[in-house]
Amino acid sequence: MLNRVRSAVAHLVSSGGAPPPRPKSPDLPRANSSPTADPPEAPRSPPAKAGRGKAAPEKTAETRASFSRPTFLQLSPGGLRRADDHAGRAVQSPPDTGRRLPWSTGYAEVINAGKSRHNEDQACCEVVYVEGRKNVSGATREPYGGQGLYFYYWGLFDGHAGGGAAEMASRLLHRHIREQLQGLVEILQDPSPPPLCLPSTPGTPGFSDPTHVVGPHSCSSSQKEVTHESLVVGAIENAFQFMDEQMAQEWHGHQVEGGCCALVVVYLLGKVYVANAGDSRAIIVRNNEIIPMSREFTPETERQRLQLLGFLKPELLGGEFTHLEFPRRVQPKELGQKILYRDQNMTGWAYKKIELEDLRFPLVCGEGKKARVMATIGVTRGLGDHNLKVYSSTLPIKPFLSCFPEVQVYDLTQYEHCPDDVLVLGTDGLWDVTSDDEVAATVDRVLSAYEPNDPSRYTALAQALVLGARGTPRDRGWRLPNNKLGSGDDISVFVIPLGGPGSYS
Amino acid sequence: MLNRVRSAVAHLVSSGGAPPPRPKSPDLPRANSSPTADPPEAPRSPPAKAGRGKAAPEKTAETRASFSRPTFLQLSPGGLRRADDHAGRAVQSPPDTGRRLPWSTGYAEVINAGKSRHNEDQACCEVVYVEGRKNVSGATREPYGGQGLYFYYWGLFDGHAGGGAAEMASRLLHRHIREQLQGLVEILQDPSPPPLCLPSTPGTPGFSDPTHVVGPHSCSSSQKEVTHESLVVGAIENAFQFMDEQMAQEWHGHQVEGGCCALVVVYLLGKVYVANAGDSRAIIVRNNEIIPMSREFTPETERQRLQLLGFLKPELLGGEFTHLEFPRRVQPKELGQKILYRDQNMTGWAYKKIELEDLRFPLVCGEGKKARVMATIGVTRGLGDHNLKVYSSTLPIKPFLSCFPEVQVYDLTQYEHCPDDVLVLGTDGLWDVTSDDEVAATVDRVLSAYEPNDPSRYTALAQALVLGARGTPRDRGWRLPNNKLGSGDDISVFVIPLGGPGSYS
């Protein structure tokens, strides 16, 4: 994530220590397509209070690594060194010889041009089995026949101010999603509407008897209908929050480094859920049409939320910032003049007389990729950043950041997809220099050069997208064919075929 | 506004007194199309602080009337009685014989079927002249040739819990807009970008010298470009706020009754600004295509804003409400069970264990037209309501309501409009029983029955829309041709031709 956090964050309170040793035998979750259940090592602490609970740090064998790449790349030590080489910027993809990713998903990545020591993007692609909750004796409840659920999962994590948060999220976020879905396994497989009320203790006698569930018709007359789909959305939202809370804990004695944007896709029971917190992006290219599947969350797009928070909780501004927006920094010599401003309720601009407190730094400033919250961070949603402070200050920035994703749902059964219909996920390294239309053109160009049933076509497409955004070394920089600068950021791309050779069962 | 505020608001703290006497000679602003300047009686107090200032109550001859209809209807005392007759529900329009509304605008209205004593909708249609600000000596600054600006103005105000707020807004909101635009007259007519900084005292020597304006190039390097359009948007936004603050003042010794939704259109310098605060709606029907020009603000559409406020400022909930949403009211006997909930960050639903404070009434509850904030009010933006309290409580609801409109801009010069292209404004009495598509079909049906240059066609269209939503008295109710109930609410409609016989100069 190029320039998303000023170099000032080197002053992060937490980043004083030497990097911990890399574990000798990495125990990352399996990254192949085998649909077996992960060992039950995901955090299981139920919320003490809905949405606010703290998951206790997990006692697994995992420790923080100083540098790693997704295990599905199957990199040898030499391959890892090449992936870490800023000069060559070799594009990395899973080997042709290995097991393919689920759905014949294509993936490619490249390291940045030197803006950070390692590639701070991370990725994960998994098939996850969700079994129903176990009761206290360890036996699984099986009221509806005991079938668990599989979900397919893709995640892109764009780290900043260190790679720790992105790496942790790539290892654990899907497990938090599994954890949130566990209590819903039977409900999601039951075609009747979700019960509004459930007995509190799973596994207690009577839970398996559907008549004991307080269903829609046993409650008072005025009530809202809740869909199965909205339960999955709620599960993903809460999983992001638990992941973020877990990062706030000490992690095996080490503070989690930095923060990350998270763009996650879950395929479950016929629907694709795209959850985005940050400035990565997902689009569907279907029959040459572009369907946006995410929105970016930046100081510009979230200005009013940020300003409202600063207005309602001025103590969060520490006397250093003003919640008002100005087109530029106000100068002391301008006191008493009038300047354009925007308050939290406004989308337009008006003039106001400059007063002393307007000389404070604006909470939100800058435009485009240079927009910042508290002059520091350029994304407003994501995971981690618990220790991010304003430069040369103890003022925390985290209260202004949201860990909640926006979730968009796409019903895969509503359209007959062809092998050229794809869902493209990319970190901002791709989108900074590539428009949606250019991506759609590359989709068309690359896929038409391969047989529809050639499973390697999606990897080739991901590579073409990464190469197209990186450019080639020329004139002292990485340049695109039009001689403009390519992206010097880490670039990571998933290409998920929606009607290709993948098996969706 | 049918059922938007429960009958409980009869308990409004402020509504104890007898209605004040109706003034003998109503002194409403002129509602014809004469483009002469209004007398300068609009509130002029500049904000003590940007966006927070209090405009002092205006010392005009206007007083609160107990019942009135828009003056452009030119109703005789007998006509006023017919307009006030719930049994006949005669549709009212400006007389054919009188002066037409600007742009040959069509208008029609009908009173409710008995839900309130009078028609609580109000309307205004004006041509307003904005002169530049006068300096202290009364002389107008004329740096750019001294030309003032005209804007065309249409306003629909849907009152609730009394007609006072709607009536006051229909008399004064356009004057607040004029007031906000006064300082911008020269800037809006100057093709160069608006200056970021202005000297504070208008009329001081040098103000008329453009080189004294602190322009974009005399400031620091990083600055945002602000458009003329966004200045007009800001002026409208602040005008709504000043109008709301003026309602908070005592008005000639009387408290302003109730609140109102406000839907306002301003045409200025080639652009149409549609500002909406409430649940009225504006659509453009252009070449049979529907272009939405507003969004409704209700407890459902603003749920997350309301919940966030309750979460950040729990004192506003008075220990009586919870900011969490539940699909229905939680019962004490369910304590310890799990229930579906949504927090302010969630769009999906999840289960939580029921705790004591979940037994409080939800801040937001109900669905569709029955959705309510604090079990009381069904709209979340608008003007007034300063004294609205929760039923049998002193807890104020106003902190959860926003007076700020959302402003959408439509550039009239970007498309060659034909006489059948119209902007339709309606209060919820229209939209509760009429879809956008049905309105578009009526536009097509009615306008095609008239010559394109017949200026009465837009009034005929407004009447057809009102009649179509009201229905006819049958089977103990007002019924539509499909035998469903028509709207029993007040219904008001403006039809503004975008390419018709009106002169836009």
Side-chain angles (χ1 to χ4, degrees), chain B residues 44 122 142 149 286 303 310 325 327 329 353 378 402 440 478:
Chain B
R44 290 186 177 279
Q122 291 291 345
E142 301 189 353
L149 286 172
R286 189 183 77 182
R303 173 184 62 85
E325 186 189 11
R329 186 77 189 269
K353 190 171 167 185
S402 168
W478 292 85

Side-chain angles (χ1 to χ4, degrees), chain A residues 24 28 73 118 136 162 165 167 243 245 267 287 305 307 311 335 338 341 346 352 360 373 385 468 471 479:
Chain A
K24 280 171 194 137
L28 293 167
L73 287 177
H118 298 299
V136 279
E167 191 174 338
M243 184 73 249
E245 287 173 353
Y267 171 80
N287 196 20
R305 175 179 76 75
Q307 285 187 295
F311 172 70
L335 264 175
K338 286 183 170 178
Y341 79 101
M346 300 168 69
K352 80 178 291 287
R360 295 175 185 166
V373 180
D385 287 318
R479 294 199 179 265

